[in-house]
Amino acid sequence: MDSRQARTIASFRHILVFLDQHPITPEPPLLTEMRKSLEASMNRLHRLGAEQQTSWSALGKNVEQRRKELRRERMMPLVRIARPLMAFAPGVERPLRVPHARASARQVADAALAMADALKGHTTLLRSAGFPKDFLKEFRHEARQLARAIKQTNAVRDKRATATAAVAAEMKKAMTTVTVIEGLVMLHFSKDRATIKYWRERRRVSARLGRPRRRNGARVSEQAVVH
Protein backbone atom coordinates (compact mmCIF):
# COMPACT_ATOMS: atom_id res chain seq x y z
CA MET A 1 0.00 0.00 0.00
CA ASP A 2 1.50 3.33 -1.03
CA SER A 3 1.65 6.54 1.01
CA ARG A 4 -1.28 8.14 -0.79
CA GLN A 5 -3.52 5.14 -0.10
CA ALA A 6 -2.51 5.08 3.57
CA ARG A 7 -3.33 8.77 3.93
CA THR A 8 -6.66 8.24 2.17
CA ILE A 9 -7.57 5.50 4.65
CA ALA A 10 -6.73 7.93 7.45
CA SER A 11 -9.23 10.37 5.91
CA PHE A 12 -11.87 7.62 5.99
CA ARG A 13 -11.23 7.26 9.72
CA HIS A 14 -11.68 11.01 10.17
CA ILE A 15 -15.00 10.82 8.33
CA LEU A 16 -16.30 8.14 10.70
CA VAL A 17 -15.23 10.28 13.67
CA PHE A 18 -17.08 13.24 12.15
CA LEU A 19 -20.25 11.17 11.86
CA ASP A 20 -19.97 10.20 15.53
CA GLN A 21 -19.40 13.82 16.56
CA HIS A 22 -22.20 15.20 14.38
CA PRO A 23 -25.05 12.69 14.52
CA ILE A 24 -28.13 13.15 12.38
CA THR A 25 -31.20 12.30 14.44
CA PRO A 26 -32.95 10.19 13.49
CA GLU A 27 -30.15 8.70 11.39
CA PRO A 28 -31.26 8.08 7.80
CA PRO A 29 -31.12 4.38 6.85
CA LEU A 30 -28.92 5.24 3.88
CA LEU A 31 -26.34 6.89 6.17
CA THR A 32 -26.32 3.83 8.41
CA GLU A 33 -25.72 1.64 5.37
CA MET A 34 -22.94 3.88 4.04
CA ARG A 35 -21.24 4.06 7.42
CA LYS A 36 -21.18 0.25 7.67
CA SER A 37 -19.92 0.03 4.09
CA LEU A 38 -17.05 2.44 4.81
CA GLU A 39 -16.11 0.56 7.99
CA ALA A 40 -16.11 -2.72 6.06
CA SER A 41 -13.94 -1.22 3.34
CA MET A 42 -11.45 0.06 5.91
CA ASN A 43 -11.23 -3.36 7.57
CA ARG A 44 -10.64 -5.04 4.22
CA LEU A 45 -8.05 -2.46 3.22
CA HIS A 46 -6.15 -3.08 6.45
CA ARG A 47 -6.18 -6.84 5.79
CA LEU A 48 -5.03 -6.38 2.21
CA GLY A 49 -2.30 -4.01 3.34
CA ALA A 50 -1.02 -6.66 5.71
CA GLU A 51 -0.93 -9.15 2.84
CA GLN A 52 1.15 -6.72 0.82
CA GLN A 53 3.65 -6.55 3.67
CA THR A 54 4.38 -10.26 3.56
CA SER A 55 7.81 -11.81 3.47
CA TRP A 56 8.34 -10.58 -0.12
CA SER A 57 11.35 -8.45 0.79
CA ALA A 58 12.91 -11.15 2.93
CA LEU A 59 12.33 -13.80 0.26
CA GLY A 60 13.81 -11.57 -2.43
CA LYS A 61 16.96 -10.96 -0.37
CA ASN A 62 17.13 -14.67 0.45
CA VAL A 63 17.11 -15.61 -3.24
CA GLU A 64 19.73 -13.02 -4.17
CA GLN A 65 22.01 -14.02 -1.30
CA ARG A 66 21.75 -17.70 -2.19
CA ARG A 67 22.43 -16.91 -5.85
CA LYS A 68 25.58 -14.94 -5.05
CA GLU A 69 26.94 -17.48 -2.59
CA LEU A 70 26.33 -20.42 -4.89
CA ARG A 71 27.99 -18.68 -7.80
CA ARG A 72 30.98 -17.11 -6.01
CA GLU A 73 31.75 -19.53 -3.20
CA ARG A 74 30.94 -22.82 -4.93
CA MET A 75 30.89 -22.58 -8.70
CA MET A 76 33.80 -20.23 -9.30
CA PRO A 77 36.35 -22.24 -7.27
CA LEU A 78 35.09 -25.48 -8.80
CA VAL A 79 35.53 -24.25 -12.37
CA ARG A 80 38.98 -22.78 -11.76
CA ILE A 81 40.20 -26.02 -10.27
CA ALA A 82 38.42 -28.63 -12.38
CA ARG A 83 38.21 -27.07 -15.85
CA PRO A 84 41.96 -26.94 -16.59
CA LEU A 85 42.51 -30.45 -15.21
CA MET A 86 39.52 -31.93 -17.03
CA ALA A 87 40.03 -30.22 -20.36
CA PHE A 88 39.90 -33.48 -22.28
CA ALA A 89 37.25 -35.26 -20.22
CA PRO A 90 34.16 -35.98 -22.35
CA GLY A 91 30.99 -34.01 -21.62
CA VAL A 92 32.35 -31.66 -18.95
CA GLU A 93 33.45 -28.60 -20.91
CA ARG A 94 29.95 -27.16 -21.32
CA PRO A 95 28.69 -27.63 -17.73
CA LEU A 96 31.96 -26.35 -16.22
CA ARG A 97 31.06 -22.72 -16.87
CA VAL A 98 30.09 -20.08 -14.35
CA PRO A 99 27.00 -18.08 -15.35
CA HIS A 100 27.41 -14.35 -15.90
CA ALA A 101 27.31 -12.13 -12.80
CA ARG A 102 23.93 -10.81 -13.95
CA ALA A 103 22.51 -14.28 -14.63
CA SER A 104 19.16 -14.98 -13.00
CA ALA A 105 18.83 -17.13 -9.92
CA ARG A 106 17.12 -19.78 -12.05
CA GLN A 107 20.05 -19.84 -14.49
CA VAL A 108 22.54 -20.16 -11.64
CA ALA A 109 20.57 -22.98 -10.00
CA ASP A 110 20.25 -24.91 -13.27
CA ALA A 111 23.95 -24.42 -14.06
CA ALA A 112 24.94 -25.61 -10.58
CA LEU A 113 22.91 -28.80 -10.94
CA ALA A 114 24.46 -29.48 -14.35
CA MET A 115 27.92 -28.88 -12.89
CA ALA A 116 27.24 -31.30 -10.03
CA ASP A 117 26.18 -33.97 -12.54
CA ALA A 118 29.33 -33.42 -14.62
CA LEU A 119 31.60 -33.78 -11.57
CA LYS A 120 29.84 -36.80 -10.14
CA GLY A 121 32.46 -39.22 -11.40
CA HIS A 122 35.42 -37.06 -10.39
CA THR A 123 35.26 -37.13 -6.61
CA THR A 124 38.92 -38.13 -6.35
CA LEU A 125 39.96 -34.86 -7.96
CA LEU A 126 37.70 -32.90 -5.64
CA ARG A 127 39.04 -34.68 -2.55
CA SER A 128 42.62 -34.00 -3.66
CA ALA A 129 41.78 -30.30 -3.86
CA GLY A 130 40.50 -30.34 -0.31
CA PHE A 131 36.75 -30.35 -0.94
CA PRO A 132 34.78 -32.14 1.81
CA LYS A 133 33.69 -35.73 1.18
CA ASP A 134 30.02 -34.75 0.85
CA PHE A 135 30.69 -31.56 -1.11
CA LEU A 136 28.80 -32.54 -4.25
CA LYS A 137 25.81 -33.67 -2.20
CA GLU A 138 25.76 -30.35 -0.33
CA PHE A 139 26.38 -28.43 -3.55
CA ARG A 140 23.41 -30.08 -5.22
CA HIS A 141 21.28 -29.43 -2.13
CA GLU A 142 22.14 -25.71 -2.21
CA ALA A 143 21.17 -25.51 -5.89
CA ARG A 144 17.83 -27.19 -5.20
CA GLN A 145 17.23 -24.89 -2.22
CA LEU A 146 17.80 -21.89 -4.49
CA ALA A 147 15.31 -23.27 -7.02
CA ARG A 148 12.77 -23.80 -4.23
CA ALA A 149 13.27 -20.24 -2.96
CA ILE A 150 12.60 -18.95 -6.48
CA LYS A 151 9.25 -20.72 -6.55
CA GLN A 152 8.34 -19.29 -3.15
CA THR A 153 9.27 -15.78 -4.29
CA ASN A 154 7.17 -16.12 -7.43
CA ALA A 155 4.20 -17.25 -5.33
CA VAL A 156 4.59 -14.23 -3.03
CA ARG A 157 4.87 -11.93 -6.05
CA ASP A 158 1.60 -13.28 -7.45
CA LYS A 159 -0.12 -12.90 -4.08
CA ARG A 160 1.17 -9.35 -3.75
CA ALA A 161 -0.12 -8.43 -7.22
CA THR A 162 -3.54 -9.84 -6.37
CA ALA A 163 -3.65 -7.87 -3.12
CA THR A 164 -2.58 -4.67 -4.89
CA ALA A 165 -5.41 -4.99 -7.42
CA ALA A 166 -7.87 -5.71 -4.60
CA VAL A 167 -6.71 -2.59 -2.73
CA ALA A 168 -7.36 -0.42 -5.79
CA ALA A 169 -10.85 -1.90 -6.24
CA GLU A 170 -11.76 -1.53 -2.55
CA MET A 171 -10.40 2.01 -2.49
CA LYS A 172 -12.61 2.93 -5.44
CA LYS A 173 -15.63 1.46 -3.68
CA ALA A 174 -14.85 3.38 -0.49
CA MET A 175 -14.45 6.65 -2.40
CA THR A 176 -17.92 6.15 -3.88
CA THR A 177 -19.26 5.56 -0.37
CA VAL A 178 -17.65 8.82 0.82
CA THR A 179 -19.31 10.69 -2.05
CA VAL A 180 -22.75 9.46 -0.92
CA ILE A 181 -21.96 10.32 2.72
CA GLU A 182 -20.93 13.80 1.66
CA GLY A 183 -24.25 14.28 -0.11
CA LEU A 184 -26.07 13.32 3.08
CA VAL A 185 -23.94 15.70 5.16
CA MET A 186 -24.62 18.53 2.72
CA LEU A 187 -28.34 17.75 2.81
CA HIS A 188 -28.66 17.78 6.59
CA PHE A 189 -26.10 20.48 7.50
CA SER A 190 -26.55 22.82 4.53
CA LYS A 191 -27.32 25.82 6.77
CA ASP A 192 -24.53 25.12 9.26
CA ARG A 193 -21.44 26.62 7.64
CA ALA A 194 -19.14 25.75 10.52
CA THR A 195 -20.10 22.08 10.37
CA ILE A 196 -19.72 21.98 6.58
CA LYS A 197 -16.28 23.58 6.88
CA TYR A 198 -15.28 21.03 9.50
CA TRP A 199 -16.57 18.22 7.26
CA ARG A 200 -14.35 19.39 4.42
CA GLU A 201 -11.37 19.38 6.74
CA ARG A 202 -12.15 15.85 7.89
CA ARG A 203 -12.57 14.44 4.41
CA ARG A 204 -9.37 16.02 3.12
CA VAL A 205 -6.42 13.71 2.47
CA SER A 206 -3.46 14.97 4.47
CA ALA A 207 -0.47 16.39 2.63
CA ARG A 208 2.43 14.08 1.86
CA LEU A 209 5.29 14.45 4.29
CA GLY A 210 8.58 15.69 2.91
CA ARG A 211 9.97 18.60 0.96
CA PRO A 212 7.16 20.57 -0.75
CA ARG A 213 7.19 20.57 -4.52
CA ARG A 214 7.64 23.66 -6.69
CA ARG A 215 4.81 24.50 -9.00
CA ASN A 216 4.81 27.61 -11.24
CA GLY A 217 7.78 29.00 -9.34
CA ALA A 218 6.17 28.68 -5.90
CA ARG A 219 6.44 25.92 -3.33
CA VAL A 220 3.21 24.18 -2.55
CA SER A 221 2.37 21.10 -0.53
CA GLU A 222 0.06 18.38 -1.75
CA GLN A 223 -3.51 19.24 -0.86
CA ALA A 224 -5.54 16.42 -2.33
CA VAL A 225 -9.22 15.87 -1.64
CA VAL A 226 -11.13 12.60 -1.83
CA HIS A 227 -13.64 12.83 -4.65
Side-chain angles (χ1 to χ4, degrees), residues 19 23-33 35:
L19 295 177
I24 301 173
T25 307
E27 183 168 289
L30 181 58
L31 179 56
T32 302
E33 179 184 345
R35 185 203 295 262

PDB file of all heavy atoms in Angstrom, residues 19 23-33 35:
ATOM      1  N   LEU A  19     -18.871  11.653  11.773  1.00  0.00           N
ATOM      2  CA  LEU A  19     -20.252  11.171  11.859  1.00  0.00           C
ATOM      3  C   LEU A  19     -20.650  10.880  13.307  1.00  0.00           C
ATOM      4  O   LEU A  19     -21.815  11.064  13.689  1.00  0.00           O
ATOM      5  CB  LEU A  19     -20.424   9.925  10.992  1.00  0.00           C
ATOM      6  CG  LEU A  19     -20.254  10.131   9.484  1.00  0.00           C
ATOM      7  CD1 LEU A  19     -20.367   8.796   8.749  1.00  0.00           C
ATOM      8  CD2 LEU A  19     -21.273  11.125   8.946  1.00  0.00           C
ATOM      9  N   PRO A  23     -23.984  13.648  14.877  1.00  0.00           N
ATOM     10  CA  PRO A  23     -25.047  12.692  14.523  1.00  0.00           C
ATOM     11  C   PRO A  23     -26.253  13.389  13.897  1.00  0.00           C
ATOM     12  O   PRO A  23     -26.567  14.534  14.210  1.00  0.00           O
ATOM     13  CB  PRO A  23     -25.416  12.064  15.866  1.00  0.00           C
ATOM     14  CG  PRO A  23     -25.049  13.110  16.870  1.00  0.00           C
ATOM     15  CD  PRO A  23     -23.824  13.785  16.339  1.00  0.00           C
ATOM     16  N   ILE A  24     -26.879  12.685  12.989  1.00  0.00           N
ATOM     17  CA  ILE A  24     -28.134  13.146  12.383  1.00  0.00           C
ATOM     18  C   ILE A  24     -29.242  12.326  13.017  1.00  0.00           C
ATOM     19  O   ILE A  24     -29.263  11.103  12.923  1.00  0.00           O
ATOM     20  CB  ILE A  24     -28.122  12.948  10.857  1.00  0.00           C
ATOM     21  CG1 ILE A  24     -26.962  13.721  10.227  1.00  0.00           C
ATOM     22  CG2 ILE A  24     -29.446  13.390  10.249  1.00  0.00           C
ATOM     23  CD1 ILE A  24     -26.763  13.443   8.746  1.00  0.00           C
ATOM     24  N   THR A  25     -30.149  13.001  13.700  1.00  0.00           N
ATOM     25  CA  THR A  25     -31.201  12.305  14.445  1.00  0.00           C
ATOM     26  C   THR A  25     -32.580  12.617  13.863  1.00  0.00           C
ATOM     27  O   THR A  25     -32.940  13.799  13.736  1.00  0.00           O
ATOM     28  CB  THR A  25     -31.170  12.726  15.923  1.00  0.00           C
ATOM     29  OG1 THR A  25     -29.830  12.543  16.434  1.00  0.00           O
ATOM     30  CG2 THR A  25     -32.134  11.901  16.731  1.00  0.00           C
ATOM     31  N   PRO A  26     -33.354  11.610  13.529  1.00  0.00           N
ATOM     32  CA  PRO A  26     -32.951  10.192  13.487  1.00  0.00           C
ATOM     33  C   PRO A  26     -32.011   9.950  12.305  1.00  0.00           C
ATOM     34  O   PRO A  26     -32.087  10.640  11.303  1.00  0.00           O
ATOM     35  CB  PRO A  26     -34.277   9.460  13.328  1.00  0.00           C
ATOM     36  CG  PRO A  26     -35.141  10.425  12.588  1.00  0.00           C
ATOM     37  CD  PRO A  26     -34.767  11.789  13.100  1.00  0.00           C
ATOM     38  N   GLU A  27     -31.132   8.969  12.449  1.00  0.00           N
ATOM     39  CA  GLU A  27     -30.153   8.703  11.390  1.00  0.00           C
ATOM     40  C   GLU A  27     -30.837   8.069  10.188  1.00  0.00           C
ATOM     41  O   GLU A  27     -31.526   7.052  10.329  1.00  0.00           O
ATOM     42  CB  GLU A  27     -29.045   7.783  11.902  1.00  0.00           C
ATOM     43  CG  GLU A  27     -27.960   7.525  10.859  1.00  0.00           C
ATOM     44  CD  GLU A  27     -26.738   6.854  11.448  1.00  0.00           C
ATOM     45  OE1 GLU A  27     -26.002   7.513  12.201  1.00  0.00           O
ATOM     46  OE2 GLU A  27     -26.531   5.650  11.154  1.00  0.00           O
ATOM     47  N   PRO A  28     -30.649   8.648   9.006  1.00  0.00           N
ATOM     48  CA  PRO A  28     -31.258   8.080   7.795  1.00  0.00           C
ATOM     49  C   PRO A  28     -30.724   6.665   7.540  1.00  0.00           C
ATOM     50  O   PRO A  28     -29.526   6.405   7.736  1.00  0.00           O
ATOM     51  CB  PRO A  28     -30.798   9.039   6.692  1.00  0.00           C
ATOM     52  CG  PRO A  28     -30.445  10.307   7.392  1.00  0.00           C
ATOM     53  CD  PRO A  28     -29.911   9.887   8.729  1.00  0.00           C
ATOM     54  N   PRO A  29     -31.577   5.754   7.132  1.00  0.00           N
ATOM     55  CA  PRO A  29     -31.123   4.376   6.851  1.00  0.00           C
ATOM     56  C   PRO A  29     -29.963   4.328   5.860  1.00  0.00           C
ATOM     57  O   PRO A  29     -29.068   3.486   5.993  1.00  0.00           O
ATOM     58  CB  PRO A  29     -32.385   3.713   6.281  1.00  0.00           C
ATOM     59  CG  PRO A  29     -33.519   4.486   6.868  1.00  0.00           C
ATOM     60  CD  PRO A  29     -33.029   5.906   6.945  1.00  0.00           C
ATOM     61  N   LEU A  30     -29.998   5.239   4.873  1.00  0.00           N
ATOM     62  CA  LEU A  30     -28.915   5.236   3.882  1.00  0.00           C
ATOM     63  C   LEU A  30     -27.582   5.597   4.526  1.00  0.00           C
ATOM     64  O   LEU A  30     -26.545   5.022   4.184  1.00  0.00           O
ATOM     65  CB  LEU A  30     -29.232   6.212   2.752  1.00  0.00           C
ATOM     66  CG  LEU A  30     -28.192   6.284   1.618  1.00  0.00           C
ATOM     67  CD1 LEU A  30     -28.005   4.903   0.977  1.00  0.00           C
ATOM     68  CD2 LEU A  30     -28.606   7.309   0.566  1.00  0.00           C
ATOM     69  N   LEU A  31     -27.581   6.524   5.482  1.00  0.00           N
ATOM     70  CA  LEU A  31     -26.342   6.894   6.166  1.00  0.00           C
ATOM     71  C   LEU A  31     -25.825   5.720   6.991  1.00  0.00           C
ATOM     72  O   LEU A  31     -24.616   5.452   7.017  1.00  0.00           O
ATOM     73  CB  LEU A  31     -26.585   8.105   7.069  1.00  0.00           C
ATOM     74  CG  LEU A  31     -25.361   8.582   7.863  1.00  0.00           C
ATOM     75  CD1 LEU A  31     -24.200   8.897   6.924  1.00  0.00           C
ATOM     76  CD2 LEU A  31     -25.713   9.789   8.716  1.00  0.00           C
ATOM     77  N   THR A  32     -26.725   5.014   7.646  1.00  0.00           N
ATOM     78  CA  THR A  32     -26.318   3.826   8.410  1.00  0.00           C
ATOM     79  C   THR A  32     -25.664   2.797   7.494  1.00  0.00           C
ATOM     80  O   THR A  32     -24.618   2.222   7.828  1.00  0.00           O
ATOM     81  CB  THR A  32     -27.540   3.188   9.100  1.00  0.00           C
ATOM     82  OG1 THR A  32     -28.151   4.157   9.955  1.00  0.00           O
ATOM     83  CG2 THR A  32     -27.130   1.967   9.909  1.00  0.00           C
ATOM     84  N   GLU A  33     -26.260   2.600   6.333  1.00  0.00           N
ATOM     85  CA  GLU A  33     -25.720   1.640   5.368  1.00  0.00           C
ATOM     86  C   GLU A  33     -24.348   2.074   4.865  1.00  0.00           C
ATOM     87  O   GLU A  33     -23.423   1.257   4.763  1.00  0.00           O
ATOM     88  CB  GLU A  33     -26.697   1.518   4.189  1.00  0.00           C
ATOM     89  CG  GLU A  33     -26.235   0.560   3.107  1.00  0.00           C
ATOM     90  CD  GLU A  33     -27.181   0.538   1.913  1.00  0.00           C
ATOM     91  OE1 GLU A  33     -28.325   1.037   2.050  1.00  0.00           O
ATOM     92  OE2 GLU A  33     -26.767   0.035   0.849  1.00  0.00           O
ATOM     93  N   ARG A  35     -22.219   4.117   6.343  1.00  0.00           N
ATOM     94  CA  ARG A  35     -21.241   4.061   7.425  1.00  0.00           C
ATOM     95  C   ARG A  35     -20.695   2.632   7.571  1.00  0.00           C
ATOM     96  O   ARG A  35     -19.483   2.423   7.681  1.00  0.00           O
ATOM     97  CB  ARG A  35     -21.892   4.508   8.738  1.00  0.00           C
ATOM     98  CG  ARG A  35     -20.902   4.597   9.905  1.00  0.00           C
ATOM     99  CD  ARG A  35     -21.655   4.469  11.230  1.00  0.00           C
ATOM    100  NE  ARG A  35     -22.566   5.586  11.453  1.00  0.00           N
ATOM    101  CZ  ARG A  35     -22.261   6.645  12.210  1.00  0.00           C
ATOM    102  NH1 ARG A  35     -21.082   6.722  12.783  1.00  0.00           N
ATOM    103  NH2 ARG A  35     -23.161   7.605  12.397  1.00  0.00           N
TER     104      ARG A  35
END
